[in-house]
Each structure stands twice: as structure tokens, then as C-alpha cells.
Amino acid sequence: MSRSDSPPPPNDDQQSLSAALFSKLSLAANNNNSSTTTSDNPGQQPPSKLPLAAPQQPPALPPHSTNNNLTAPQNILLRRLPATPPTTASATSTGSYSNSVTGSPLPERRPTSAPRTVLVAEKWLVLEKIGEGSFGQVFSGEDRDTRDRVAIKRERTDCRTPQLQNEFAIYKKLQDAEGFPKVFFGGVEDVYNVLVMEQLGPSLKELQAMSPALSLPLRTVVYCIPQMLQCLETLHTRGYIFRDAKPGQFCVGRYGDDLAAHPRIYLIDLGLAVSYLDSQGKHLPKCRPDGRRHKTGTARYASLKVHRGYDHSRRDDIESLAYLVIELVRGTLPWSKLRVLSAAEGWKRTKEYKHEMTEWEIADGLPDEFAKMLKYARDLSYAAAPDYRMLERWFRELGARLGDPRDKLVWTCPDPSLPANGGWSTAI
């Protein structure tokens, strides 16, 4: 993706639901399996359970191809079986699906005793929709042989800013790296790009929303920060910048993991990631700032220099990380609840807040490490490599001062004021 081809920016009223693509919340599963599915466009939500659609009158299907190339439209990824009851218990709860490809009105519902079974690449059973947004839809799925959970993401091939092909290509380069989900399949089915990946645990955004105080315990966030830094470092080392760091892009553990037992933090949703290196492996040159250019990312977490029209670089990912972890602990940022009539106005007013406030005012009430990380990122030059080890050390030492890092993690705050023990408990 070239600079000139960067997609228009999502705004705070169009938050990506990509976190849901890898999670059927293990925490929510303990509460009658009520998944957290949100949409920033509630008036445009389709019915809650849509299929991975197949052509209405499919031709004779050729033998399945193992070519996982997203650019091969002839690759048949989805096969719809005869309308017979599924053989797996997990499939019986999926209800009926629509066979609509173009978004036309749903046909009459099929009897619940005979739900339609949908397979992806003759291997993954589609269970239910777990999220959707401007990017497309996300479904929970299951490997028909191993019963392993997967996330199945799709977007229309003719959508305004397709991202799955870029996301698939980057994930393939990160399959040996910790902190990134495994990708199993990618390709084109009829009018959809489709991606099949391992299903992860809840995102930090979902966990924050589930907390009564709408914030996470200080010690828990401090535990997460070094791993979040490692994810960004890995991505940067492979030649990419993320450009959209926010709580919904970091997932906690794999599907079904015990969140109290120090799970791994994962970085997801790489559709907006781009290379910052040229064909010779050198950092792209700095361009003159242009405040009129389209912004990429989310205004709430965008760096001040991105607001001013500079190109993204590694420093901006670190600054965005600083904003999001401050928000996780405080529950909000000074500009979080702005009321605006347009995305352009939202970007403008958010920029004014960030320009007028010091790092210590933004991180008011938190340990100095939060303000120090924000100031460090803002002071970095365009092509400078962040000192990830130093930043990690700050927060590991802070965690050691707050208490025993072997204690189990707590992911909720009972009220807006942080508990005296920092939110950790040895009895869960």
C-alpha cells in the first residue's frame, strides 16, 4: 500500500470491531455465552446471523484447490452442504442462515431443526457471527476434525478500501513470531475475500467495557505494556508500521485461556499496516507535513505529528500505545467524549487538546512512567528506532514496585478509584 493509496481514516464513531474477529469471549462464555458484539453504526446492522454466502446457483464445483492466494478468484473456499441437521453439537445452535450475497431481504427462516451447514474450504464449520463493521463480518468457526476454534473474516471484493489481502500477506510473514495469531487460510469466494485464523481471547477494549469502572486495574495494564511493546517491536523489525494502535487491536490469550494466569498479549488487525522501508531496505524519506491530507488511524489515539500532517513512522506507534494504556487505567482521555458533527472536526478538536496539554497533564494521577513514555515518543525523530528495551524496563520495574508479579491477574475495577492493592488478588 503506497502513501498515496492509504485508506481514509476510521474515526471514533466508526471504531473497528476487529477485536471481535479473534474472540468469543472466554469471560463472557462463563456468563451464558453472551458475546460482546458492537457496531458504531447501529442503524445499519444486518440480522445477527449471516452466512458466509455461496453463489445462489453454484456451478458444478471443481475439486478443492490448496492455493491460498487471495488474488485467485477461481479458488472455491466455501461449500454449502445439503440442508440437513449438522452432526456436531456446536453447529446446532447456529440457527438459520441467509443465502443472500448482495444484501437483499432475508428469505423465510428455515426450521430450527434443520439449520444450514456452512463449511469454509471443506474444513472449517461456521458457527455464528461475532462481529461486523465497515471492514466486513467476522464469524466464529470450528475445525471439523480437531474442533479447534477459528475466526473467519470476510469483506466484499468490491469494498472501498479492501484490507484482507494486505493483512493476509503480513500475517504470513509473522507466523514464526510470538504475539501474532496463526493464519490458516486466505482466498476469494464469489464476491468475498475470506481469511481464516486462530481465535483469540477478548480484546483489551472488550475487557475494559466489561469492567464496572470502565477501566482496568493499574497492575494489570502494567503487566500488559511490555508485551504490547514487544508486538510493535516485532512488527517494526519486519519492516512494517502499524498505524492504528488502540485497545481493540490487542487480545488477551487464546480462546478459552485463563485470563488470571498471565496470558500472552496478541496484536491483531494488520489491514492498515504498511512498510516504512524502500526497496533497498532504507527508511523512507521524510516528507513535508500536509495538514490537509487524509489521516490514517483513529483520532483518539493518533500521534500529535500525524495530526499535523506528518507521515507515520515507528515513533507514532509508540505514542499511540501511550495514549491507549493511559486510557485503559483512567477509563478515559481528556478528549474521549468530544461531540462533533464530522470526522474532520473530531480530528481538529482532538489535535487541539493534544497540543495544549503536557504529557504530565494527560497522564495525571498515574505513575511517571506513563508520561515519560508519551514524552519519549513525541521527542523521537522521524526515522529513529525506539528504545524498546528501555521502555520495557520502566514498566517491569514499575510492576515490581507495585507488588509480586506472580500474583494472578484481575481484569475488573469495582469503582472508578483504583483499589489499594492495585487490582491484583491471590484469590480468584
Side-chain angles (χ1 to χ4, degrees):
M1 181 182 297
S2 66
R3 296 169 188 265
S4 61
D5 293 332
S6 297
N11 56 46
D12 287 340
D13 293 327
Q14 294 178 320
Q15 296 269 334
S16 167
L17 297 180
S18 51
L21 73 90
F22 301 103
S23 68
K24 173 86 170 169
L25 286 176
S26 56
L27 287 180
N30 294 329
N31 292 299
N32 297 325
N33 291 323
S34 59
S35 64
T36 302
T37 302
T38 62
S39 174
D40 292 321
N41 295 297
Q44 300 178 6
Q45 288 187 4
S48 60
K49 294 183 179 180
L50 296 177
L52 287 171
Q56 294 182 353
Q57 294 182 351
L61 297 176
H64 173 62
S65 170
T66 58
N67 179 11
N68 293 352
N69 189 342
L70 275 169
T71 62
Q74 74 278 10
N75 189 11
I76 301 299
L77 305 188
L78 307 184
R79 307 290 177 86
R80 193 179 297 280
L81 299 183
T84 56
T87 57
T88 60
S90 58
T92 60
S93 63
T94 60
S96 60
Y97 292 103
S98 161
N99 61 6
S100 171
V101 174
T102 61
S104 56
L106 291 173
E108 183 178 353
R109 283 187 173 272
R110 298 173 55 81
T112 57
S113 60
R116 189 168 294 178
T117 303
V118 179
L119 288 178
V120 177
E122 300 181 345
K123 181 174 177 64
W124 293 281
L125 177 70
V126 178
L127 300 181
E128 60 186 325
K129 186 175 69 175
I130 57 176
E132 67 176 308
S134 59
F135 58 86
Q137 295 84 34
V138 183
F139 299 82
S140 178
E142 181 181 79
D143 189 303
R144 188 171 57 171
D145 300 321
T146 67
R147 301 295 177 87
D148 292 336
R149 282 298 189 107
V150 296
I152 303 168
K153 185 177 181 179
R154 78 174 188 182
E155 67 180 8
R156 289 186 62 94
T157 55
D158 60 353
C159 66
R160 182 181 176 187
T161 55
Q163 298 178 10
L164 282 190
Q165 186 170 359
N166 181 58
E167 188 173 2
F168 176 79
I170 299 176
Y171 274 131
K172 293 294 286 184
K173 297 179 181 180
L174 294 166
Q175 292 303 280
D176 62 336
E178 290 189 3
F180 296 89
K182 303 302 180 185
V183 60
F184 304 123
F185 197 81
V188 177
E189 156 60 19
D190 193 39
V191 296
Y192 293 104
N193 293 327
V194 180
L195 199 58
V196 180
M197 319 174 75
E198 69 174 322
Q199 188 167 347
L200 301 176
S203 72
L204 293 174
K205 177 182 178 181
E206 292 169 319
L207 291 168
Q208 180 186 10
M210 294 174 64
S211 176
L214 298 181
S215 62
L216 297 181
L218 172 61
R219 282 185 171 178
T220 301
V221 176
V222 170
Y223 161 81
C224 294
I225 292 174
Q227 294 190 49
M228 298 165 81
L229 285 164
Q230 291 170 12
C231 291
L232 291 177
E233 180 186 9
T234 298
L235 191 64
H236 294 167
T237 302
R238 302 296 173 94
Y240 294 94
I241 47 177
F242 190 43
R243 302 200 301 170
D244 196 25
K246 53 189 176 182
Q249 317 296 56
F250 290 91
C251 286
V252 182
R254 292 186 172 92
Y255 177 84
D257 281 357
D258 179 4
L259 301 189
H262 302 82
R264 175 77 202 185
I265 306 299
Y266 291 86
L267 180 62
I268 64 169
D269 199 5
L270 307 181
L272 294 179
V274 295
S275 176
Y276 62 91
L277 304 175
D278 61 20
S279 57
Q280 283 75 43
K282 297 180 180 180
H283 200 294
L284 291 171
K286 182 178 181 179
C287 298
R288 295 183 60 183
D290 183 0
R292 297 172 298 177
R293 72 173 56 178
H294 287 298
K295 308 296 191 299
T296 299
T298 304
R300 183 183 299 186
Y301 309 104
S303 74
L304 187 53
K305 290 184 176 65
V306 168
H307 276 283
R308 292 170 176 167
Y310 286 92
D311 287 330
H312 282 264
S313 67
R314 289 171 287 183
R315 65 185 179 186
D316 303 298
D317 284 345
I318 303 300
E319 185 172 340
S320 294
L321 178 63
Y323 291 133
L324 78 87
V325 295
I326 290 171
E327 182 190 55
L328 288 175
V329 180
R330 295 188 59 184
T332 186
L333 289 165
W335 50 85
S336 292
K337 298 181 180 180
L338 289 175
R339 291 183 173 273
V340 295
L341 299 177
S342 67
E345 183 184 359
W347 278 88
K348 179 182 178 181
R349 294 187 60 188
T350 301
K351 172 186 174 182
E352 293 170 354
Y353 269 92
K354 293 175 183 176
H355 174 72
E356 295 171 359
M357 299 183 71
T358 68
E359 296 83 7
W360 273 264
E361 288 174 329
I362 295 173
D364 182 47
L366 301 181
D368 288 346
E369 284 78 3
F370 288 85
K372 286 169 60 180
M373 178 167 66
L374 179 55
K375 186 177 189 309
Y376 172 76
R378 287 182 166 186
D379 290 344
L380 279 174
S381 63
Y382 171 71
D387 190 341
Y388 309 97
R389 298 288 85 73
M390 178 187 71
L391 296 171
E392 286 182 38
R393 184 173 66 252
W394 288 354
F395 287 94
R396 292 192 189 280
E397 292 175 353
L398 173 59
R401 295 199 304 271
L402 292 173
D404 190 342
R406 295 171 297 181
D407 287 345
K408 291 186 177 181
L409 295 173
V410 173
W411 294 91
T412 59
C413 286
D415 57 62
S417 61
L418 292 175
N421 68 352
W424 280 21
S425 172
T426 56
I428 295 182

